[in-house]
Amino acid sequence: MRAGIVLFPGTNRERDMALALQRVTGHRPEMLWHRDTALPAGTDLVVLPGGFSYGDYLRCGAMAAQSPIMQAIKAFADQGGHVLGVCNGFQMLTEAGLLPGALLRNATLRFLSMDCRMRVERTDTPYTNRFQRGQVFRSTMAHGDGNYFADDATLERLEGEGLVALRYATPAGEATAAANRNGSARNIAGILSPNLRVLGLMPHPENQVDPEIDGTDGLPLFESLAATLATAAA
Amino acid sequence: MTQTPALLAPERARQLAAEYGLKPDEYDRVLAILGRAPSLCELGIFSVMWSEHCSYKSSRVWLKELPTKAPWVIQGPGENAGVIDIGDGLAAVFKMESHNHPSFIEPYQGAATGVGGILRDVFTMGARPIANLNALRFGMPDAPRMKQVIDGVVRGIGGYGNCVGVPTVGGEVNFHPRYNGNPLVNAMTVGIARADRIFTAAASGVGNPVVYVGSKTGRDGIHGATMASTEFTADSEEKRPTVQIGDPFTEKLLIEACLELMATDAIVAIQDMGAAGLTSSSVEMAGKGGMGIELELDRVPQRETGMTAYEMMLSESQERMLMILKPGREHVAEAIFTKWELDFAVIGHLTDTGRIVLKHKGRLEADIELAPLESEAPLYRRPTAETPRQAVLDAAAIADPVGPEAALLTLVGSLDLCSRRWIWDQYDSMVGGQTARRPGAADAAIVRIEESRRALAMTTDCTPRYCLADPEEGGKQAVAEAWRNITATGGLPLAITDNMNFGNPEKPEIMGQFAAAVRGMAAACIALDFPVVSGNVSLYNETEGRGILPTPAIGGVGVLDDVAQAVGLGLKPGLDLVLVGETRGWLGQSLWLREIAGREDGAPPPVDLTAERRNGDAVRGWIRQGLVAASHDLSDGGLLVAAAEMAMAGGAGAVLDAGPAGIPAHGWWFGEDQGRYLLAVRDGDAMLAAAKAAGVPAIRIGRSGGEALVLPGGQSISVAKLAEAHERTLPALMAEAGGA
């Protein structure tokens, strides 16, 4: 797997993401710069990591969606490339039109930094094939704007096409209001593109890949990717 | 160009000097140094450099008593931050600093820029910041404006720290009416650098370029340092324009750009523009290097039009740094700062004149000899008055009105002991991917160092009510508790930073508190091999003539050779509970006395430093041998509160034995005797034998299991009920402050 992590001014979870990818691939991913106009040849995964790109002073992710590298990422996605957007990266994907909907201010109107649990809605995707269907895994969220919103027609389409990858849930797997701290529509934590190759999610599974730090609940997501893309490359 | 700047008329100058906070005799010294009246810009420079905030004029004679050396200390007080050797060629760089006055006037920006300032002090030295902590003191939530202050401070700390991507991993909060008009916001940053790549502020090299990087200069924060050196009055609201505005996004870029430049060989010296901005950074860099400095203020990047020399020199606009570069290396630096979209300007050069010379619009604005600006700075040994000693209370003579069960439920929900989750849930504690123990999981925060097995253990501590009753014991206790909290995780405590928050030093009783607290701190630092490597003093914390509780906040840093050795406080079933340390049942100044008996009196618990050291060294040794499953120091609320905190953190209950005969039950359960730990261990007998061999007092006090704390009388309090009482307090109080 040849992965690149994009650095925008204000990106701050690139080191976390690099550690997670290194854990499953054995090597450091490449760091890409927001002003680049092309991706390195042979790239098979682009990661838009968390942070506060451009300070989030406009809508979160809105400035980054206009950066030079985003044109190259759109073309890469159009050609079937894999793109993972986490937190601020998910916001960029919606701003760039690679995923539908928007991330609004948390319903609590506060920044939320806490554990959450996500239920895996399907396991036949490049990001979830190492999970069990319906499996609930723990992660952490750290965002002020993670309240997923889309109009009813879009939500119906996402549900109908099975593009909801992850939903906030209780440890027992119920998608309750209490488990949905940021107020997301239908408890949506992460969604996929129709070809299943673009995933955006708000929580940070890259922080749950090391038993000495915060457990390994997030590791299957990266193992899924590594398995998928190792096969693709072979 | 004229040879002297435009001078103020003598009467006008004296009047302005008083407005800027210079006492008449201090102003006379200014006249003597200059040999003439000052220009407006010169007067501004003297007034901020000689403010309490920048000159430490009331505190310096006492601070000298603190021990600052140890074989592992690389840099003690006097630089932007302290530096200690943590092994493997790595250094920890850290400091704590107050932003009390701005945080009361404008809570969000005051707290946010406090975080920004302390971050710059650390990365200025070449360190990547890896952790933020804080020490907060608020007034009672029902005091005027206080909920708004609490809300704003917490949002401000989170808003800045979350955006720059440095995890906020620990801290402490107290509530007391004496902070109603003067809350305290102390922010601490810890960074990691290579021990052989530490950057300092001492300038050298005649002709070397003076370079300004970061944000543009505006009119915000003018005379902030002066404001921080006076008491609050009813018109403090009008001082809002003296509070700076923070931009954590720019700070993040500045961190990355500075660290990138520091990896080259271009920098001679570097300092952030903190309090007193361009004035203190240029004066201190040139002064420390014994150089002169000449600045062309027209070249300073400016956010507003028509700024005067005085405004530029006094502005405390945030996210700015001043550097001295090697000749010919400007292009290296400029390329990096341009890449990060930050301002970069060569604004002057070093000279051999020993003077600071400022020019603006073709005119000389200031010309001051640097040596006397520092050597002639006021230094006061102000009169001190000892705090009267309070009586030692006898627990047997104090009636217990409610019994342990009700007292425990009240205490775990009380303001000083209730869960801080509402606060830490607003701070990103995980960013960086190295946080091994988050807030609430252990007595100190544990952050692993990238590409290393090592981890830092970090804490902030102070018990201000002890300090009020007996500043010397309180100072000792603050240091000891920081040492104990690090020890309780398995960490080896290495050094501290101190943040001395006190009232008006011109009052002998306040200066007496300060002197006594330093005495106690020094004794503890020596006994525990825990030197002071950096610090900050905040005086004049008074409103309408009433001072805060004396609050010498301590930030402690320790190291674990292997992160896998760290233990937390969460209790699991099937373990023996062993109490380490001597219990006498000390209720004086305890939270039980305040919350249950309604009294705030008596002498605080004394710290026996010999016992502290012996007990702590033994506990750390047992943890490192893998004998301890969970560990918690005993502090506010005593034994039963500690047991409840372990139960809530781990989700397991315990059956507790009765205390020894001769100690009243309320003294046993809630006494705040020092130097104690509660350990959960698999083999209690082996632990007791090890304790006996080490000469450490230890007894078994129960066994974990079940879903409740069961007291010897048979009363059972479910962990769920405890947690409910513990968790509801802050959210309920803050619900009306906006947002759930």
Side-chain angles (χ1 to χ4, degrees), chain A residues 13 16 35 57 110 113 212, chain B residues 151 247 425 428 432 453 738:
Chain A
R13 255 186 171 84
D16 316 42
R35 287 188 183 283
Y57 290 151
R110 287 187 186 277
S113 169
E212 286 178 348
Chain B
D151 184 54
D247 176 2
D425 274 357
D428 188 344
R453 298 292 310 152

Side-chain angles (χ1 to χ4, degrees), chain B residues 267-283:
Chain B
I267 299 176
V268 174
I270 179 166
Q271 169 140 356
D272 77 300
M273 296 191 219
L278 193 49
T279 293
S280 66
S281 53
S282 55
V283 165

Side-chain angles (χ1 to χ4, degrees), chain A residues 211-215, chain B residues 169 429-430 433-438 441-442 444-448 455-456 560 563-564 566:
Chain A
E212 286 178 348
I213 298 301
D214 195 31
Chain B
V169 295
S429 56
M430 296 296 289
Q434 303 289 350
T435 307
R437 291 292 187 284
R438 282 190 261 171
I446 308 289
V447 177
R448 190 177 62 189
L456 295 184
L560 286 137
V563 69

Side-chain angles (χ1 to χ4, degrees), chain B residues 463-481:
Chain B
T463 313
R465 63 183 189 280
Y466 295 174
C467 298
L468 180 71
D470 184 337
E472 184 168 350
E473 280 301 330
K476 211 191 274 182
Q477 195 272 343
V479 174
E481 190 175 349

